[in-house]
Amino acid sequence: MHFLPEKIDEYVVAHSEKEPELLKELTRETYQKILQPIMLSGPYQGRVLSMISKLIRPKTILELGTFTGYATLCLAEGLQTQGEIHTIDVNEELVDFQRKYFDRSNYGNQIHQHLGNALDIIPALDKTFDLVFIDADKPNYSNYFHLIINKLNPGGIIISDNVLWHGKVVEELNPKDLLTKALLAYNTLLKNDERIESVMLPIRDGLTISRKK
């Protein structure tokens, strides 16, 4: 999803960091073999996630929604030497695909995969996190927030993807559109929760960066 004029978008991408070769390969194979490849973060957003992670230098990262592992690898680029990233997804058919690329990267032993419902897995993780990336099923965004906020370290960051939802968040709401309704509620939650401060960025389909006070 592009909200900028095409020429401006092309200029922005051209003057940003290049996509690593391993991620190019991951993208090609995702488009060849996996359903709904549009779910990939993509090269520009991936470089944004990488830069944020490198600025934070997190010791622990939690990712909700692994898909084929593109964003996982981008976020892992900023990990401390002894840091780790825990990534959760419900699709068991993608586990081996993810692991193949994780092990080809420099971060394979720092990436821990969790298969199952994040609502069950998050409470069982006996850890706190410096960085959380939410890019899973939209109806549960608010539920995920309530589960992770007390596991987020002071000064920790939550990055929420798809918060503009193809522009539907500013259109008249169809009562049957439960996904948009859920994202509207989530965006309001981030705006009003006094434990965090947030800024929404019109990057691709929308990213909100929230910092725990």
Side-chain angles (χ1 to χ4, degrees):
M1 187 70 196
H2 295 204
F3 293 105
L4 291 174
E6 185 176 358
K7 288 186 178 180
I8 294 294
D9 188 85
E10 291 174 352
Y11 185 86
V12 168
V13 171
H15 290 79
S16 298
E17 193 69 16
K18 292 184 178 179
E19 180 184 32
E21 187 58 38
L22 179 64
L23 293 180
K24 290 182 181 179
E25 293 182 33
L26 188 158
T27 297
R28 284 195 293 269
E29 188 169 359
T30 297
Y31 272 85
Q32 290 169 354
K33 299 179 179 180
I34 307 299
L35 293 175
Q36 295 183 299
I38 196 172
M39 291 172 62
L40 278 172
S41 289
Y44 176 66
Q45 182 170 314
R47 292 305 86 203
V48 172
L49 294 176
S50 170
M51 181 64 76
I52 293 172
S53 185
K54 288 172 181 174
L55 289 170
I56 297 170
R57 293 296 292 159
K59 185 175 182 180
T60 49
I61 301 175
L62 174 63
E63 179 186 38
L64 308 182
T66 317
F67 192 46
T68 55
Y70 191 102
T72 319
L73 290 170
C74 294
L75 293 166
E77 292 176 23
L79 277 172
Q80 296 181 24
T81 304
Q82 301 300 320
E84 56 186 24
I85 178 169
H86 292 262
T87 183
I88 304 172
D89 203 280
V90 296
N91 192 341
E92 62 181 325
E93 295 180 357
L94 295 178
V95 172
D96 292 340
F97 186 104
Q98 299 159 4
R99 179 47 62 184
K100 177 175 69 173
Y101 281 94
F102 293 163
D103 287 344
R104 289 181 59 194
S105 76
N106 296 326
Y107 319 103
N109 63 347
Q110 296 174 275
I111 301 174
H112 304 278
Q113 295 161 282
H114 300 270
L115 178 64
N117 188 332
L119 296 175
D120 298 324
I121 293 172
I122 294 170
L125 294 174
D126 187 21
K127 295 181 179 296
T128 59
F129 297 95
D130 302 312
L131 175 60
V132 177
F133 181 49
I134 302 178
D135 187 19
D137 53 313
K138 312 313 168 193
N140 274 316
Y141 265 36
S142 294
N143 293 328
Y144 294 144
F145 175 85
H146 291 303
L147 284 177
I148 65 175
I149 188 62
N150 290 327
K151 289 180 175 288
L152 188 66
N153 293 322
I157 299 295
I158 300 172
I159 306 174
S160 307
D161 198 11
N162 304 117
V163 292
L164 293 178
W165 202 232
H166 317 295
K168 293 181 181 180
V169 291
V170 295
E171 298 174 356
E172 184 176 353
L173 180 64
N174 182 334
K176 297 181 180 180
D177 187 352
L178 300 182
L179 297 182
T180 302
K181 185 178 181 180
L183 283 166
L184 287 168
Y186 180 69
N187 290 340
T188 299
L189 171 63
L190 294 186
K191 172 65 176 175
N192 294 335
D193 195 298
E194 295 184 354
R195 293 170 292 182
I196 58 172
E197 51 186 338
S198 298
V199 60
M200 183 180 288
L201 304 174
I203 294 173
R204 292 302 181 254
D205 199 24
L207 285 177
T208 294
I209 301 176
S210 305
R211 176 185 177 274
K212 187 174 181 180
K213 297 178 181 178

